[in-house]
Amino acid sequence: MITAGGYGIELSFSNYADSFLIPVNPDTIEIKESGDGKSYTVAGLGEINVIKAPKLTEISFSGIFPAHRYPFVIVKEDERLEPQHYLEKIRQWRERKRPIRFHAVSSTYVIDMPMSIERFEWKEEAGSPGDIQYELSLKKYTFYAAKKVTIVPKADSTGTSSEQEDSVQLQSDDPPRPDEREIPDTYALRKGEGLWSAAQRVWGDGSRYPEIQEYNGIPDADLRRLPIGLVLKIPGGEADA
């Protein structure tokens, strides 16, 4: 996780159930924000431009996943993954066909948005054994869902439903925002976390921690002395599906 006042890029999946900090800050981050306007030629006016909704934001950057501890590596040594582990995580996230979260912090801006992995290329070059050079392109992801439409006959002055076509009204219910969270089979406690934190991470609702407590058979007397790294089984995870 990016510390307060820090600079870096964090990629996460399924509401931070899995995440990592980019170990070497890229030299540049390219951010593309463009419109989707259309031009038309109108008699007497010439060319006009019709402004439409902007296109989805695109972000791309490149860097290395280091195999060694270099001076420019920003993550702690015990948090640095082997290069192939970074590759495996990105591949796995992409294969899930769900958005990741891009979180970037600098001295001038903060970007935090769900995004899809559009392109991921990597290579290993001679002269830097073990290091992986990569290029990553992301596109902003907008959550969407089908709307439920109900046909409501419009009553006439006598109180009866009219059969005329122009008397039909449509009502639509906006669906809740789709959850980008996938329920994991297990969750390992981090420093300073308890069952409430685990439930908040997994379900987005810390008040559901008694479900994890009961599922793992944890007595009340042990709730305040759970060890760091304790692996909790999560009810309703993929293994239960």
Side-chain angles (χ1 to χ4, degrees), residues 149-153 168-171:
V149 178
T150 304
I151 298 179
V152 182
V168 176
Q169 298 177 328
L170 297 182
Q171 291 185 343

Side-chain angles (χ1 to χ4, degrees), residues 43-126:
L45 291 177
E47 185 180 28
I48 64 171
N49 182 39
V50 177
I51 299 176
K52 295 188 176 183
K55 292 184 177 180
L56 297 174
T57 301
E58 298 179 21
I59 296 177
S60 59
F61 57 92
S62 61
I64 68 167
F65 295 132
H68 311 282
R69 179 67 186 181
Y70 298 116
F72 48 79
V73 174
I74 66 170
V75 298
K76 298 178 180 178
E77 183 60 22
D78 59 350
E79 296 177 353
R80 181 178 62 84
L81 305 177
E82 291 298 320
Q84 64 268 23
H85 291 168
Y86 291 107
L87 302 181
E88 291 170 2
K89 282 181 179 290
I90 294 176
R91 286 199 196 105
Q92 290 173 0
W93 295 349
R94 191 175 188 181
E95 290 171 358
R96 294 288 188 89
K97 299 180 181 180
R98 296 176 67 87
I100 66 170
R101 182 160 291 276
F102 175 86
H103 184 206
V105 177
S106 80
S107 59
T108 56
Y109 64 84
V110 174
I111 302 175
D112 187 9
M113 67 174 69
M115 308 197 78
S116 61
I117 300 173
E118 296 297 309
R119 184 173 62 88
F120 178 52
E121 299 180 2
W122 61 274
K123 61 183 177 180
E124 181 179 2
E125 290 188 348

Side-chain angles (χ1 to χ4, degrees), residues 23-239:
V24 178
N25 284 328
D27 293 333
T28 60
I29 301 177
E30 183 178 352
I31 302 174
K32 182 179 180 182
E33 297 179 323
S34 58
D36 194 25
K38 300 294 183 181
S39 296
Y40 301 92
T41 300
V42 178
L45 291 177
E47 185 180 28
I48 64 171
N49 182 39
V50 177
I51 299 176
K52 295 188 176 183
K55 292 184 177 180
L56 297 174
T57 301
E58 298 179 21
I59 296 177
S60 59
F61 57 92
S62 61
I64 68 167
F65 295 132
H68 311 282
R69 179 67 186 181
Y70 298 116
F72 48 79
V73 174
I74 66 170
V75 298
K76 298 178 180 178
E77 183 60 22
D78 59 350
E79 296 177 353
R80 181 178 62 84
L81 305 177
E82 291 298 320
Q84 64 268 23
H85 291 168
Y86 291 107
L87 302 181
E88 291 170 2
K89 282 181 179 290
I90 294 176
R91 286 199 196 105
Q92 290 173 0
W93 295 349
R94 191 175 188 181
E95 290 171 358
R96 294 288 188 89
K97 299 180 181 180
R98 296 176 67 87
I100 66 170
R101 182 160 291 276
F102 175 86
H103 184 206
V105 177
S106 80
S107 59
T108 56
Y109 64 84
V110 174
I111 302 175
D112 187 9
M113 67 174 69
M115 308 197 78
S116 61
I117 300 173
E118 296 297 309
R119 184 173 62 88
F120 178 52
E121 299 180 2
W122 61 274
K123 61 183 177 180
E124 181 179 2
E125 290 188 348
S128 55
D131 294 345
I132 297 296
Q133 299 184 22
Y134 69 90
E135 295 181 6
L136 187 62
S137 296
L138 309 173
K139 180 180 288 187
K140 182 179 179 180
Y141 182 84
T142 300
F143 293 97
Y144 61 91
K147 289 187 176 182
K148 180 181 177 181
V149 178
T150 304
I151 298 179
V152 182
K154 183 179 180 181
D156 58 20
S157 58
T158 64
T160 60
S161 298
S162 172
E163 299 295 333
Q164 295 181 0
E165 183 177 353
D166 59 1
S167 297
V168 176
Q169 298 177 328
L170 297 182
Q171 291 185 343
S172 62
D173 298 324
D174 290 333
R177 176 182 180 269
D179 196 345
E180 61 185 273
R181 182 183 297 108
E182 286 188 357
I183 306 303
D185 300 333
T186 59
Y187 181 82
L189 289 180
R190 306 175 186 179
K191 184 178 180 180
E193 289 187 334
L195 296 189
W196 192 97
S197 299
Q200 182 67 27
R201 287 275 193 178
V202 172
W203 295 312
D205 184 0
S207 65
R208 293 181 61 183
Y209 78 88
E211 299 177 39
I212 299 179
Q213 179 183 359
E214 180 179 1
Y215 197 66
N216 289 269
I218 301 173
D220 291 343
D222 293 344
L223 290 180
R224 293 187 177 274
R225 53 172 182 254
L226 299 177
I228 299 173
L230 176 65
V231 178
L232 302 167
K233 295 182 293 184
I234 303 300
E238 293 183 357

